[in-house]
Amino acid sequence: MSILIGDQEYFKGIGKVAYEGPESDNPLAYRWYDENRIIAGKTMKEHLRFAVAYWHSFCGTGVDPFGGPTLFFPWDKKADAVARAKDKADAAFEFITKLGLPYYCFHDVDVVDYTNDVNANEGRLQELTAYLSEKQKASGTKLLWGTANLFSHHRYMNGAATNPDFNVVAHAGAQIKMAMDATIALGGENYVFWGGREGYMSLLNTNMKREQEHLAQMLKMAVSYGRANGFKGKFFIEPKPCEPTKHQYDFDAATVSGFLRQHDLLDDFSLNLEVNHATLAGHTFEHELQVAADAGILGSIDANRGDYQNGWDTDQFPIDLTEWTKSMLIILEAGGLQGGINFDAKVRRNSTDTEDLFHAHIGGVDTVARALVIADAIRTHGEYDKIRTDRYASFDSGKGSEFEKGALSLENLFELAAANGEPATLSGRQEYLENMINRFI
Ligand code: XLS
Ligand code: NI
Ligand code: NI
């Protein structure tokens, strides 16, 4: 067996997933993701930088608040934590290699189980980092980002960096340091903070200002540690309004953008935007992308989707072409992502066939790839851009342009309004544009 398959083949009977084109009948092939196809001057692979999420794909056992595991992984059997973790790495790299995707992402505790002993954890993570490094070299797979899980352990029930107990904050810092060491050693391109426990459940027991200052302090320490140890990539914050905590400080893109500006962190941080987090915040995903793009912090994406009937983070694989086409229009206009597209999605707990994980990823990859093709066709056609540009034409010259430059006063506006009379009724042409999206799909 090659190093990519390990001692045991976990996904037996499934070979390398290849691009076969839209006419293919093969469910285990890509119809749209042709990694070398050039779109708007870059390969699809480079535009999208797809990453497999280690946690959902190789650790998530199907548990929900009402029931235990439904997925019993053959790589999760050995008693020894390090041996078990190596089996999991074998399975992960076999899967990623068969899918032919360029990246993966992890939390520290996805890679290897932790104990309550910080030194022992460091030893375990270092051993697995060396193992993953070999796997990366053999396969060419790269690490899109690493992160620390600062939400599962009971010590974080009152927060991690925002915990009112400094002893817990120190543990959070220790975990961040170790996760950053692993990320740097593995050539990780970015480092993520998702603050699932950074927030409050009741203001009655919370000093919000102090907690947010502690969060900023921790982020600054991470930046100085990373930069001192050769980390050149971006740090990302992943906004989410709630779940598990009732109110999370990184509520949405606009909130985090303001926080980064307030604490002078904009040079080092961008956003990792998740589709389902956008909807939980009462926004569309496109809204979050646009906010980030306009602030120059359009970092990376977690590409899962929610469910129209549910109000929680269901982490389903993307399938919605309309949503992704609208998203790709924004991403292309912004000049692309700084990071890539991590799935952060899981199969349903009753999707128990080995193949299901392949179907899920293939569907997600093809949805996003196809949306890229469609969005590029819309932009190349030109009318979409023209309609939007023309809508603001009154600011391109004359008094409108003086207004934009700050050369007019309120008195001037009064005079202009009085002189020009009631403005013409101008249509926003929303339906026309919506039809254009469908026409190109
Ligand atoms: C949870 C988040 C989490 C982050 C990584 O809702 O999406 O999975 O992406 O910690
Ligand atoms: Ni996420
Ligand atoms: Ni999420």
Side-chain angles (χ1 to χ4, degrees), residues 49 103 143-147 183-184 187-192 231 233-236 299-300 338-340:
R49 278 177 253 152
Y103 289 97
L143 180 64
L144 183 63
W145 50 258
T147 187
T183 302
I184 294 168
E189 295 183 11
N190 312 278
Y191 185 87
V192 163
F231 179 66
K234 276 274 174 191
F235 293 85
F236 294 146
S300 210
Q338 297 165 352

Side-chain angles (χ1 to χ4, degrees), residues 55-56 145 194 238 272 274 277 302 304 313 315 342 344:
W55 54 104
H56 286 310
W145 50 258
W194 170 63
E238 184 176 327
N272 184 47
E274 179 164 315
H277 296 182
D302 276 6
N304 55 45
D313 200 7
D315 290 334
N342 162 50
D344 198 1

Side-chain angles (χ1 to χ4, degrees), residues 387-388 390-392 424-433:
I387 289 175
R388 299 167 85 229
D390 288 354
R391 197 161 181 236
Y392 297 89
T425 302
L426 299 177
S427 173
R429 305 183 73 191
Q430 181 174 329
E431 294 78 8
Y432 185 93
L433 287 161

